[in-house]
Amino acid sequence: ILLLTLLISASSSSFAFVKIQTKNWGANTFSPLSYSEGHFSQAPVQNKKAQLKHRIMSEFAQWRGTDYRWGGDSRNGIDCSAFTRRIIASVIHRRLPRTAQEQSRMGQRVSQRELKVGDLVFFKTEPNVHHVGVYIGNDSFIHASSSQGVTMSHLSNQYWQAHYLTARRGSARSEE
């Protein structure tokens, strides 16, 4: 259910705001409306960073709780690199290599302090085992965990900090 309330300023401003409240998110978002020639037109609801996070989280919601399966690439079971491939392909329309180790070699290295929504975060959990997730902001990333399935975790968690390897930005290549 979507509730819209139109608030129009009494000043000479040419903008109005729409209060959008969604049942799913339970939060209010204000979207500017432009008024021109007797008609209102809606501006983008959120900035690009917020839109990207919203698209990632919408995709994550569809996968959340899916069981982990090494080599898996479906709702019956998925591994970490297949999960990041699916998210990036769906949200950004780009392809990633199949394995976490191959994904970790692409794009530009980014420090933890500089992480942005959509960056890939990499971990080395055992001598020959790599793990990958998608950073979503606020110290959080989404991934296919071998113990919890598709879930959200915090980078500051002691386990993830101990196994942190690197982060990459722009590691996806264009679909061709």
Side-chain angles (χ1 to χ4, degrees), residues 63-146:
W63 286 94
R64 187 176 206 154
T66 300
D67 290 336
Y68 177 89
R69 181 184 299 157
W70 186 78
D73 191 12
S74 74
R75 302 237 193 258
N76 294 326
I78 194 162
D79 68 16
C80 64
S81 58
F83 177 69
T84 57
R85 282 173 53 96
R86 293 278 189 148
I87 295 292
I88 298 301
S90 176
V91 172
I92 304 174
H93 310 290
R94 304 234 180 199
R95 291 185 309 150
L96 289 174
R98 177 58 182 100
T99 69
Q101 192 166 15
E102 290 170 326
Q103 291 175 15
S104 73
R105 295 186 194 120
M106 299 193 62
Q108 174 186 1
R109 186 181 304 261
V110 178
S111 73
Q112 280 191 55
R113 296 182 320 275
E114 299 170 324
L115 283 171
K116 292 183 180 178
V117 172
D119 288 344
L120 299 182
V121 289
F122 297 90
F123 308 88
K124 192 166 186 178
T125 55
E126 294 179 29
N128 292 316
V129 178
H130 289 78
H131 185 70
V132 60
V134 179
Y135 186 72
I136 57 168
N138 297 326
D139 184 50
S140 299
F141 67 102
I142 56 174
H143 59 117
S145 162
S146 60

Side-chain angles (χ1 to χ4, degrees), residues 164-175:
Y164 183 83
L165 184 61
T166 190
R168 301 295 233 185
R169 178 170 301 145
S171 57
R173 58 184 183 260
S174 295
E175 289 284 358

